[in-house]
Amino acid sequence: MSHPAPAGPVLEVDGVSVRFGALIAVNQVSLSVGRGQIVAIIGPNGAGKTTLLNAVSGFYHPYEGRIAFEGKDRTRLQPPDVAALGIARTFQNVALFKGMSVLDNIMTGRLLKMRGSFLLEALYWGPAKRQELEHRAFVERIIDFLEIQAIRKTPAGRLPYGLQKRVELARALAAEPKLLLLDEPMAGMNVEEKEDMCRFILDVNHEFGTTIALIEHDMGVVMDICDRVVVLDYGRKIADGPPAEVRKDQAVLDAYLGVAHE
Amino acid sequence: MIYREAGRFKTSYASDQAIFPIVQDRVFVRAAVVAAFVVPPLVAGDYWLQAILIPFLIYALAAIGLNLLTGYAGQLSLGTGGFMAVGAYSAFKLTTAFPRLSIIAVFLLSGLAAAAIGLLFGIPSLRIKGFYLAVATLAAQFFLIWLFNKVAWFTNYASSGTITAPDRTVLGVTVTGPNATAAARYVMALAFVTVFALVAKNLVRGRIGRSWMAIRDRDIAAEIIGVRPLRTKLLAFGISSFYCGVAGAELVFLYLGSAETLAFDINQSFLVLFMVIIGGLGSVLGSFLGAAFIILLPIFLTRLPHSLGLIMSVALQKQIELMIFGGLILFFLIVEPHGLARLWQIGKEKLRLWPFPH
Amino acid sequence: MAAVAKSTDAQALDPEHDTFPKLVRLNARRLGNKVAIREKDFGIWQAYTWSQYFEQARLIALGLASLGFARGDRVAIVGDNRPQLYWAVMAAQALGGVPVPIYQDSIEKELDYIVDHAEVRFAVVEDQEQVDKLLSVRARCRHLQHVVYDDPRGMRAYSEPGLVSLAELCELGTKFEVGHPTHFDDEVARGAADDVAILCYTSGTTGAPKGAMLSHRNLIATARNAARCEGLDQDEEVLSYLPMAWVGDHIFSYAQAIIMGFTINCPESPVTVLSDLKEIAPTYFFGPPRIWESILTGVMIRVEDAGRPKRAMVHFFLRLAQDIERKRLGRQAVPLWQRLLYLLGSILVYGPLKDNLGFSRVRRAYTAGEAIGPEIFLFFRGLGVNVKQLYGMTEASVFVTIQRDGDVRLDTVGTPITDVEIRISGEGEVLFRSPGVFQGYAKNPEATRQTLEDGWIRSGDAGFLDHDGHLKIIDRAKDVSRLADGTIFAPKFLENKLKFSPYVREAVCIGQGRPCVTAFINIDLAAVGNWAERRNIAYTSYADLAQKAEVYELIHREVERVNRSLAEDEVLRGAQVRRFLILHKELDPDDEEITRTRKVRRAYIAQKYAPLIEALYSGQDRVQVEAKVTYEDGRTGTMRADVSIRDVDVFSAQAAR
Amino acid sequence: MSDLLYMVLVAPFKDMAGSPAFLVEVLIGGVFAGLMYSLVALGFVLIYKASGVFNFAQGVMVLFAALTLVGLLERGAPVVVALALTAAVMVGLAYAIERVVLRPLVNQPQIILFMATIGLNFFLEGFGEMAWGANVKKLDIGIPDRSFIVRGVQINELELTAAVTAAVLVTLLALFFQTTRIGLALRAVADDHEAALSIGIPLKTIWVVVWSVAGVVAIVAGLMWGAKSGVQFSLSLIALKALPVLILGGFESVPGAIVGGLIIGVGEKLGEVYWGPLVGGAIENWFAYVLALAFLLVRPQGLFGEKIIERV
């Protein structure tokens, strides 16, 4: 699915800070995500996890620091350009296109792979039609992969929450990303749905070799599926390492105990 | 109840993605289109063609145009009248400057002119959204009308300030101007709306339609997926204005015969917007239904007192018409905010699932 | 008592076309471009022609051969209905091997047993889930060597030896063919009609599963006879949704499909079966009663959500259809006004309903396995779905009797198909003999001996042939007993009849060695509760409701109805219910009165409720009872109740009419 | 080319400098017009802020109020009584709108509510004219339309009164918002419907109140415009003039409506007087829009809006 890519980390975040007015949401955070890894970003609420992801997506721009993807600086890129590099993501509060069917939602994930030829598209003829059908075929593979055949024609807005999350993952996968950012992929799910989602994440990682960075609160999940864990607290990175080590880290324990009693 | 879908399985994506995947729909629509071309010219009187069917087709085209922009791409526009005017005046200038140019080419070029202007006025959509944008499109409406009013060049320095449709033929049949029969103009309008409705359907079911709807439903998520907002919105403005431009040209050339800027004032914008909303946002079919509703309603209201045997002053009748028109709009919005197309959709689903309710 | 239908070419099979691989090869030649299998995959129906069917199976066979497949090797087939797995069945047969289809939802213990017992060497499975199961089985079973999987999803990290994907297997086959160009044809040619074609494990209600060996001849002869009896042709469409491990699917989706050359359709996933059914609209359909029942329940639930007028309209027409169908089956005249109304109903209800269910094209549909509720049967027949009952067994290659078109009855399972002979043993057990009679149970001569006697199969069912030659099944033979006066008494048959009433949830009939039949009834709390509410009968609990005089009246009528229908039956006429009582509590698995699958534990109940039984036979009309109950939280308690007993009239044959 | 540049960039300013008194007159005229715009825009803002409805019928409400007032005056009602009755009518109207339009459409997308107000627009137009007649009417509430001259600058008494009234009204509104419970609720409701409910005032009441207040504002606007140019259908079109004010000031900002109104009023007058002749005049229909649009491109959040931080 992907070409042989340069060695070295896929994503490097170097001393990045993001601020809103006086609030410094992310404070000089550095981290790197190696090729094929699954890295979790954890931390108490308000630790700046989503903001960091937003900065990687190009939605916010850091006021200092640098973000590099596959060795190239991309700190200042706009979201569509970031997507074009091969970074896809899901959102904390599912951001599906509610007026469209599941199938069309996933098809939007292919937009970057489609080439425009306006007149042919207006006539739905020749290459334009072929392109549509080819991408449909690709999307069907993802539908199959995520086992959502039964709902492909259902309007996304009508799905239960757990399935919406799965469709959102499908949409992100449709872009064939090199780096997949998942913002709380398992929030609000029951145990069974969580297990499914874990399996899907691992399968994506194994099958396509996709590098994954995810934000997750469920420590069990994090310990199970992640190669590395980065811990944020109040916008700062306080730990970074294999799950087993991070778990014992005193700073992490303090941060979590602090919020546990809130 | 009428639908029989069992055993109609899809063996290719092409058949699954067809505009009308259900056989009955396909047959019905094809038959309806053929009937539309054949029956009214033979059967309908001039009044029906001239006063009802021709404006219906023209407004349906404009409504499709606005629906692409507002219903599919989610950009509210109140400048429809202005864009229609661009089409009308371009067509007038083109026919007078190039008398030998085919009228079909004239219409298409007028659409392109409107598209260009639409693109220009779509630029603010990058920075502003929702009602702010709607108000900004009013700028287009007022500015364009003012321009056509003020600059005599557009009317070829006619002292009356009106533009008039000259006689033009297609395949030897006069289709515009004072000598064209209502039937010929009807067929012309029908041909255009048929082709462009199909084009609209093709656009919205493909790459472009999906990027429009993505922007409409969740603009931020769309951007992060890789949809470029400006390009996408501008394309919607351009295509929408193209439709409106062609409709504007048709309005003068196939319906009114001659017109002043008054024909394209702000009320025109509202009228088309009503068609879209009453018909159903995000539905090509709804554009037709909405156009039919808005065209027929005043005619019905005008005739109602007469057929009830009531005699009232013209002014009073006008006022009552206004009240009923406004009241019915409110009524429709309250009963079915998603428009006639949704009612149609629900009815169709009911028939498909009959005797099950859902 | 014997019924025989004999054809001339009974056992003779053309040696060129006497095995399934040979027949598929014939199809590939004759019907090369005709669609053999469709599978809904990636959102559309992907079609494979008979030549593709043959070619794919051939490659799989060659691949297996390259792995050292020897004649007689057993191949486990595990997974949902997939074209690839049907091909694998043929591939195994082509090499003289024996496919052993296994239920895809088997737990490891069952899988372990079958794989070990059948000495399975190869397994062709659907996906990772099955691979995992088989790999852990392989750790214990010494025979199993190679596992082939179709779906590579999630398999990347597996590096176990002997694990190969189907695609890789086909590649191996292509390579193997280079060195052995005639291997496949040679092996197919070596196949003979009496080779074992399939090993079907039946899950006995007692003991370990038994593997019934069916030969090509068994299957071909039986499938062909049934197809001829029923007039199947090569344009049939079948939905292959029942487990491949079940002999029925093997007959319908494999044997008959190959013999007739018709098309089978594999659903997209188990959850989409109903919508796939609608899309395909099969012409030939088989469903056990529970499938028909669940479709009917689905219809009723959805109709309940409709507005009142529509609901009333639908119910009216459904009742009408059932009424007409009942008359038709009873050979009674249908009044003209009803026929006219039926026409209207076809437009308003039956046509659209059939279309929505996917039954608009079905020409013949079957139910078998156990008794189907008459309401369910009448419902579908009333709609115009030609559903019929058949009687069959794994050991007979399924078909024994089928109801013929125009000769469908509510309470029989039809007449024997071509070449099937039936007789009833002295004990009332149904015995039959046919070309489909199996070769015996694998590695189980004891069980074979018990079942197979001089070419006759002991069905284990009690039944009789009525004067029209229709077979009527009463009960499992071991459950049938006699009253004190020697009258045949079939408790389960009676209980089922009672349970056809919506108001009766459970029934236990007593009578063995007694002078007459009596019954315990459990009312259906929902249905009776609803009924009571409509009549403004207030009640506080199940026990309270159960003892209401009005409820007794209601159940009384239901029991009488059963008696009336029994009176029409010459054999069972004597076993009508004389007395009954409504139990003060629901039979509950927690109280060990019924099993988790809701089978009545007769012996336990007889012991636990001995005083009640005594009361039933002592002429009292009231009895006090104390019972131990187990609450949901595990606590136990005693409840005391007064239980009434009612007498019921019995009917003579004349009175019943 | 340079001629054109001169005419656009230099000549108008020379004219201004050449006749400062005239410039002041123009500016005063602009301020007056701006205040009138502000009054209409205020009606919009109040309703948008509290119910999220873009009330296109605000212009017709102005017309309707003026028609009612004139109708009552013509039938001999004293000014004070007529004003009170008109206010009562406007409150009744607000109540009816809440019942008939807003309540059934609660939770619908904004565009639907917007369309509903256009329907309302038609209805009120027909209703108002049917009830009070469609002729142009003179509205005379006793303020003389006289001018006096201060230091060479001509000032119109009516305009002055109107300006003062508008200023007073705005002050009153500001006080209303700052100090009363309903005012607080209104401010809360703009942010969060549930928060507003927690104050203990039902949403329905808030809507009625806010539409009533918008109706009263409409009376004042109708009074002023009507006194100046007669009560007639075109009065409803001033709503269109108030829209650019809204983009400029922001849909939810009361000060924005006022300052925006002044900017548009003054800008429009200056444009019309000094640049209008260059393009043949009658630019007042669109000049305000282009002005607002140009402004928006620089500052999309409007005059008083805060920079929106979008969340995902």
Side-chain angles (χ1 to χ4, degrees), chain B residues 301-322:
Chain B
L301 288 180
T302 322
R303 292 184 155 204
L304 186 67
H306 183 69
S307 52
L308 289 177
L310 293 174
I311 296 160
M312 51 178 79
S313 73
V314 178
L316 183 60
Q317 189 176 337
K318 190 77 210 148
Q319 287 151 9
I320 291 179
E321 263 178 56
L322 269 177

Coordinates of all heavy atoms in Angstrom, one line a residue, chain B residues 301-322:
Chain B
L301 N -54.1 31.3 -6.1 CA -54.6 32.3 -5.2 C -55.4 33.4 -6.0 O -56.4 33.9 -5.6 CB -53.5 33.0 -4.4 CG -52.9 32.1 -3.3 CD1 -51.8 32.8 -2.6 CD2 -54.0 31.6 -2.4
T302 N -54.9 33.7 -7.2 CA -55.5 34.8 -8.0 C -56.9 34.3 -8.5 O -57.8 35.1 -8.6 CB -54.7 35.1 -9.2 OG1 -53.3 35.1 -8.9 CG2 -55.0 36.5 -9.8
R303 N -57.0 33.0 -8.8 CA -58.2 32.5 -9.3 C -59.2 32.1 -8.3 O -60.4 32.0 -8.6 CB -57.9 31.3 -10.2 CG -57.1 31.6 -11.4 CD -56.9 30.4 -12.3 NE -56.7 30.8 -13.6 CZ -57.0 30.0 -14.7 NH1 -57.5 28.8 -14.5 NH2 -56.8 30.4 -15.9
L304 N -58.7 31.9 -7.1 CA -59.6 31.4 -6.0 C -60.8 32.2 -5.8 O -61.9 31.7 -5.9 CB -58.8 31.1 -4.8 CG -59.6 30.5 -3.7 CD1 -59.9 29.0 -4.1 CD2 -58.8 30.5 -2.4
P305 N -60.6 33.5 -5.5 CA -61.8 34.3 -5.2 C -62.8 34.3 -6.4 O -64.0 34.3 -6.2 CB -61.3 35.8 -5.0 CG -59.9 35.7 -5.3 CD -59.4 34.3 -5.5
H306 N -62.3 34.3 -7.6 CA -63.1 34.3 -8.8 C -64.0 33.1 -8.8 O -65.2 33.1 -9.0 CB -62.3 34.5 -10.0 CG -63.1 34.5 -11.3 ND1 -63.8 35.6 -11.6 CD2 -63.2 33.7 -12.3 CE1 -64.4 35.4 -12.7 NE2 -64.1 34.2 -13.2
S307 N -63.3 32.0 -8.6 CA -64.0 30.7 -8.7 C -65.0 30.5 -7.5 O -65.9 29.8 -7.6 CB -63.1 29.5 -8.8 OG -62.1 29.6 -7.8
L308 N -64.7 31.2 -6.4 CA -65.6 31.2 -5.3 C -66.8 32.2 -5.5 O -67.7 32.3 -4.6 CB -64.9 31.4 -4.0 CG -63.9 30.4 -3.5 CD1 -63.2 30.8 -2.2 CD2 -64.7 29.1 -3.3
G309 N -66.7 33.0 -6.5 CA -67.7 34.0 -6.7 C -67.6 35.2 -5.9 O -68.5 36.0 -5.8
L310 N -66.4 35.4 -5.3 CA -66.2 36.6 -4.5 C -65.7 37.8 -5.4 O -64.9 37.6 -6.3 CB -65.1 36.4 -3.4 CG -65.5 35.4 -2.3 CD1 -64.3 35.2 -1.4 CD2 -66.7 35.9 -1.5
I311 N -66.2 38.9 -5.2 CA -65.7 40.1 -5.9 C -65.1 41.0 -5.0 O -65.6 41.4 -3.9 CB -66.9 40.8 -6.7 CG1 -67.5 39.8 -7.7 CG2 -66.4 42.0 -7.4 CD1 -68.9 40.1 -8.1
M312 N -63.8 41.3 -5.3 CA -63.1 42.2 -4.4 C -62.2 43.1 -5.2 O -61.9 42.8 -6.3 CB -62.3 41.5 -3.3 CG -61.4 40.4 -3.9 SD -60.5 39.6 -2.6 CE -61.7 38.5 -1.9
S313 N -61.8 44.2 -4.6 CA -60.9 45.1 -5.3 C -59.6 44.5 -5.6 O -59.2 43.6 -4.9 CB -60.8 46.4 -4.5 OG -59.9 46.1 -3.4
V314 N -58.9 45.0 -6.6 CA -57.6 44.4 -7.0 C -56.7 44.6 -5.8 O -55.9 43.6 -5.5 CB -57.1 45.2 -8.2 CG1 -55.7 44.6 -8.5 CG2 -58.0 45.0 -9.4
A315 N -56.7 45.7 -5.1 CA -55.7 45.9 -4.0 C -56.0 44.9 -2.9 O -55.1 44.3 -2.4 CB -55.8 47.4 -3.5
L316 N -57.3 44.8 -2.6 CA -57.6 43.9 -1.5 C -57.2 42.4 -1.9 O -56.6 41.7 -1.0 CB -59.1 43.9 -1.2 CG -59.6 43.0 -0.1 CD1 -58.9 43.5 1.2 CD2 -61.1 43.1 0.1
Q317 N -57.4 42.1 -3.1 CA -57.1 40.8 -3.5 C -55.6 40.6 -3.4 O -55.1 39.5 -2.9 CB -57.5 40.5 -4.9 CG -57.4 39.1 -5.3 CD -57.9 38.8 -6.7 OE1 -58.7 39.5 -7.2 NE2 -57.4 37.7 -7.3
K318 N -54.8 41.6 -3.8 CA -53.4 41.5 -3.7 C -52.9 41.3 -2.3 O -52.0 40.5 -2.0 CB -52.8 42.8 -4.3 CG -51.3 42.8 -4.5 CD -50.9 42.1 -5.8 CE -49.5 41.5 -5.6 NZ -49.3 40.2 -6.2
Q319 N -53.6 42.1 -1.4 CA -53.2 42.0 0.0 C -53.5 40.6 0.6 O -52.7 40.0 1.3 CB -53.9 43.0 0.8 CG -53.4 44.4 0.6 CD -54.4 45.5 0.7 OE1 -55.5 45.3 1.2 NE2 -54.1 46.7 0.3
I320 N -54.7 40.1 0.2 CA -55.0 38.8 0.7 C -54.1 37.7 0.2 O -53.7 36.8 0.9 CB -56.5 38.5 0.4 CG1 -57.4 39.4 1.2 CG2 -56.8 37.0 0.7 CD1 -58.9 39.2 0.9
E321 N -53.8 37.9 -1.1 CA -52.8 36.9 -1.7 C -51.5 36.9 -0.9 O -51.0 35.9 -0.6 CB -52.5 37.4 -3.1 CG -53.3 36.6 -4.2 CD -53.0 37.2 -5.5 OE1 -51.8 37.1 -5.9 OE2 -53.9 37.6 -6.2
L322 N -51.0 38.1 -0.6 CA -49.8 38.2 0.1 C -49.9 37.5 1.5 O -49.0 36.7 1.8 CB -49.4 39.7 0.4 CG -48.6 40.4 -0.6 CD1 -48.4 41.8 -0.2 CD2 -47.2 39.7 -0.7

